[in-house]
Amino acid sequence: MGSSGINAEYMGPRVLIVGAKDCGKSSLARMLLTYAVRGGRKPDFVDLDVGLNSIAIPGAVAAVSAEQPVDIETGLKASSPTSYFYGHLAPQKKWELYKKCVTNLARDVKKRWTRNLDARIAGCIIDTYQFWGEKAKETIVHIAEEFQANVILVVDHERLHSYLSKDRSLSKRSVSVIPLKKSGGVVQRDEKYRAAARKAAIHRYFYGPGRELHPYQQVLGYHEVKICQVGRGSQAPVQSLLPIGSESRLDPNMVRPVRPNQNMKHAILALSYATTQKECIDANVAGFLHLTQVDHTRLTITALTPCPGPMPGAYLIIGNITWID
């Protein structure tokens, strides 16, 4: 029995998929999920691709139990997913915050494994962002350790395969690092296509794949909500400006309040389950809101919400994800 309280003898495969940009990582993950579900299993699907997340929305990391094969048109049907809001489209914007979101999500997934034997036996499949650079390699190892991955599939990236194969921490845990060639059917997607796909994903969150959902406009007073930003912003001191050999003492994952302003118009906000400002760094999110109006005269904000009624919390987390309906 490991320190996490999970017996490795009764754990299913924990497959981490990494690789270059546009190499077919997500397609491979969907294929493996479909095979597993048709085989009678219900594995956890973890999507760490903040650029275009298939469970939540862009800017988030999320996990869900896969109970049905992935539909070609509508994608994965996510029932009661667990999500954390990173708030940016690329991990390199705030590496430490991204790693914190990964750690939080892994903690929740492993809790489920501890309570549910079927989930533990089914294992999980982890899709990732297109990582590159030394910091990215460290992040991949961090993901593998947090989710206790025992298989890493490296798609179309020989240098990354070589690095992971030689990593001591992975070797110590007997992690299998397997190289895969890129599928011949993979196509390159330019930034224009990606931007359109992100916009469509957010639209699908609020309106549904076939516009069967009906979101609601809510007017909220400044006193009813508390908008926070997680992670040091652009005003944080740049490492190169500090004296040689010194490091910033500021917490890279600090939580700070933000007053509503006109620059927030069209922003996507995450509704946190946090009950205090400090908890915003560790609490998962209940859902997402689209900020459509900021009224300084009436001290109110207007937001598009997935459902009517009072919100389950007061803390809203803002990043740099925007959307114009």
Side-chain angles (χ1 to χ4, degrees):
M1 185 75 72
S3 59
S4 62
I6 302 173
N7 193 330
E9 182 180 353
Y10 300 103
M11 291 184 68
R14 288 86 64 202
V15 182
L16 173 60
I17 304 174
V18 298
K21 183 179 181 179
D22 290 332
C23 65
K25 297 186 298 297
S26 298
S27 297
L28 176 59
R30 289 193 291 268
M31 182 180 67
L32 293 176
L33 278 174
T34 299
Y35 284 156
V37 172
R38 288 177 177 172
R41 301 294 188 185
K42 295 180 180 180
D44 286 318
F45 175 48
V46 179
D47 195 341
L48 304 180
D49 185 355
V50 292
L52 189 56
N53 196 279
S54 60
I55 300 175
I57 66 169
V61 297
V64 69
S65 175
E67 299 180 353
Q68 299 180 27
V70 180
D71 188 274
I72 297 177
E73 294 184 357
T74 60
L76 180 70
K77 293 184 179 180
S79 176
S80 302
T82 301
S83 304
Y84 287 87
F85 192 53
Y86 167 67
H88 305 273
L89 296 176
Q92 58 266 31
K93 291 290 184 181
K94 295 181 179 179
W95 280 116
E96 294 306 315
L97 177 58
Y98 179 80
K99 290 168 67 175
K100 178 62 175 174
C101 289
V102 168
T103 298
N104 288 340
L105 186 60
R107 176 196 63 208
D108 291 348
V109 171
K110 287 185 288 189
K111 281 183 179 179
R112 181 169 181 268
W113 292 345
T114 303
R115 297 190 300 262
N116 190 319
L117 177 61
D118 290 337
R120 185 160 70 248
I121 293 176
C124 73
I125 297 168
I126 308 165
D127 192 14
T128 59
Y129 187 80
Q130 62 268 18
F131 293 112
W132 68 89
E134 291 301 318
K135 192 70 175 178
K137 294 175 182 177
E138 296 174 10
T139 303
I140 291 174
V141 174
H142 173 77
I143 294 171
E145 291 177 345
E146 290 294 332
F147 284 95
Q148 300 180 359
N150 61 348
V151 178
I152 301 179
L153 303 180
V154 185
V155 186
D156 193 38
H157 205 311
E158 293 182 3
R159 291 179 61 185
L160 181 58
H161 172 259
S162 177
Y163 173 87
L164 296 175
S165 298
K166 298 175 182 177
D167 184 83
R168 292 184 179 181
S169 64
L170 298 179
S171 299
K172 186 177 180 180
R173 294 193 299 107
S174 300
V175 177
S176 299
V177 182
I178 304 172
L180 296 177
K181 292 184 179 180
K182 179 171 65 174
S183 172
V186 173
V187 296
Q188 297 293 317
R189 300 173 293 180
D190 57 19
E191 184 53 38
K192 184 177 180 180
Y193 176 91
R194 292 176 181 277
R198 287 192 290 266
K199 183 176 180 179
I202 297 175
H203 185 277
R204 187 165 56 249
Y205 172 79
F206 286 103
Y207 292 96
R211 297 189 69 91
E212 68 274 14
L213 302 181
H214 304 282
Y216 296 81
Q217 291 276 3
Q218 288 202 40
V219 179
L220 304 166
Y222 284 8
H223 65 285
E224 296 181 78
V225 296
K226 300 176 178 64
I227 301 177
C228 296
Q229 187 175 60
V230 182
R232 281 158 32 190
S234 59
Q235 295 180 347
V238 180
Q239 189 68 30
S240 60
L241 298 180
L242 296 174
I244 297 176
S246 63
E247 296 184 358
S248 173
R249 295 183 179 180
L250 293 177
D251 181 2
N253 294 328
M254 64 188 298
V255 181
R256 59 190 181 91
V258 182
R259 182 174 175 78
N261 60 75
Q262 292 298 329
N263 292 331
M264 293 181 180
K265 191 175 180 180
H266 305 306
I268 294 294
L269 306 176
L271 175 57
S272 175
Y273 279 118
T275 56
T276 65
Q277 180 177 305
K278 186 177 181 180
E279 289 179 2
C280 287
I281 187 62
D282 290 309
N284 62 317
V285 300
F288 304 93
L289 288 71
H290 178 223
L291 188 58
T292 58
Q293 196 64 252
V294 178
D295 191 333
H296 281 315
T297 303
R298 298 181 178 180
L299 301 180
T300 61
I301 62 171
T302 304
L304 187 69
T305 62
C307 57
M311 298 190 301
Y315 284 91
L316 302 175
I317 301 175
I318 188 170
N320 66 356
I321 307 298
T322 59
W323 176 59
I324 299 178
D325 189 2

